[in-house]
Amino acid sequence: KAGVTQTPRYLIKTRGQQVTLSCSPISGHRSVSWYQQTPGQGLQFLFEYFSETQRNKGNFPGRFSGRQFSNSRSEMNVSTLELGDSALYLCASSLAGASSYEQYFGPGTRLTVT
Amino acid sequence: GQNIDQPTEMTATEGAIVQINCTYQTSGFNGLFWYQQHAGEAPTFLSYNVLDGLEEKGRFSSFLSRSKGYSYLLLKELQMKDSASYLCAVRDRSDYKLSFGAGTTVTVRA
């Protein structure tokens, strides 16, 4: 069974640009959660999608948005990039939603904003 | 919300035992998770506790005391490959969000 995949793995963008990251969950998993990981703040929850609906949202500005498609694949978009957005962005999938026993993480997208 | 504390770093010798403590304050508890994350890799699930007591899984054990807001992860018979960051995460009862601690970097020395 293939694991969670994320594309691209590495990305370099300039301040003010926008970026879209993609996450394909494990086959059969309907929930996708996104996290931002930085050395200073650790892992922070961005949002969770389940059956194409955003079910939970963390404390991030509106520049961070996402969506989920009917095949459960999810995208995350960050507009008007800031230097502080440089981070590892991880997505995690679970079978039936955030109440599931565990989440499976993808390898992450390393975003560098210059 | 959640407030989760764990030590920043720990060092131990190969073959030894290390205990990583995690304390938390939460408005609603629905389970505590431990994840292992090697440098440059994704976190991988280690254990889950929702009731008080000890859960043992091979060389790794996790303990929970809900009344004390306390958990620990015990790593026995340490191996070099156990050098990693260990993340404590608490799930909220109302919205099932996972909140993570900053992680404990464990270095295993020969």
Side-chain angles (χ1 to χ4, degrees):
Chain A
K1 200 177 197 181
V4 179
T5 58
Q6 291 186 246
T7 57
R9 293 293 312 277
Y10 302 92
L11 204 51
I12 299 175
K13 289 285 189 179
T14 306
R15 266 183 306 176
Q17 289 185 312
Q18 68 97 25
V19 67
T20 299
L21 312 181
S22 180
C23 172
S24 292
I26 291 172
S27 177
H29 285 194
R30 295 167 63 193
S31 168
V32 174
S33 297
W34 287 89
Y35 295 87
Q36 181 195 65
Q37 187 173 34
T38 59
Q41 299 294 322
L43 256 170
Q44 292 189 291
F45 173 78
L46 279 155
F47 27 65
E48 184 220 351
Y49 285 87
F50 183 80
S51 294
E52 301 179 64
T53 301
Q54 187 182 86
R55 216 158 55 157
N56 276 311
K57 192 175 188 306
N59 298 321
F60 278 81
R63 300 186 296 108
F64 292 81
S65 63
R67 58 178 175 167
Q68 187 179 35
F69 302 94
S70 57
N71 61 358
S72 293
R73 189 177 71 85
S74 177
E75 286 182 348
M76 191 192 92
N77 185 275
V78 188
S79 62
T80 320
L81 283 165
E82 300 176 1
L83 293 179
D85 296 333
S86 294
L88 179 67
Y89 289 89
L90 293 160
C91 81
S93 77
S94 61
L95 190 59
S99 60
S100 294
Y101 187 75
E102 65 181 275
Q103 294 182 322
Y104 297 85
F105 283 86
T109 294
R110 173 77 61 186
L111 172 65
T112 302
V113 182
T114 62
Chain B
Q2 326 278 6
N3 186 19
I4 302 166
D5 288 311
Q6 51 182 129
T8 305
E9 295 179 341
M10 301 183 76
T11 302
T13 306
E14 201 173 12
I17 298 173
V18 71
Q19 177 175 314
I20 306 170
N21 296 325
C22 172
T23 58
Y24 63 89
Q25 295 174 318
T26 177
S27 51
F29 178 82
N30 189 255
L32 187 142
F33 296 76
W34 284 96
Y35 284 85
Q36 179 192 60
Q37 186 176 25
H38 285 100
E41 297 182 13
T44 55
F45 170 81
L46 287 178
S47 69
Y48 168 69
N49 295 70
V50 68
L51 299 176
D52 291 350
L54 188 68
E55 294 281 341
E56 296 186 86
K57 195 185 283 188
R59 294 188 299 113
F60 293 1
S61 303
S62 57
F63 171 84
L64 175 68
S65 169
R66 288 172 296 170
S67 62
K68 294 181 181 177
Y70 168 70
S71 172
Y72 68 72
L73 179 69
L74 196 68
L75 315 180
K76 293 179 278 191
E77 299 169 22
L78 279 171
Q79 302 175 9
M80 299 299 287
K81 67 178 182 179
D82 297 331
S83 292
S85 180
Y86 291 85
L87 306 170
C88 171
V90 174
R91 188 165 65 190
D92 188 279
R93 183 175 58 209
S94 61
D95 56 18
Y96 297 107
K97 282 188 208 176
L98 268 185
S99 295
F100 284 81
T104 299
T105 300
V106 171
T107 302
V108 181
R109 293 184 173 163

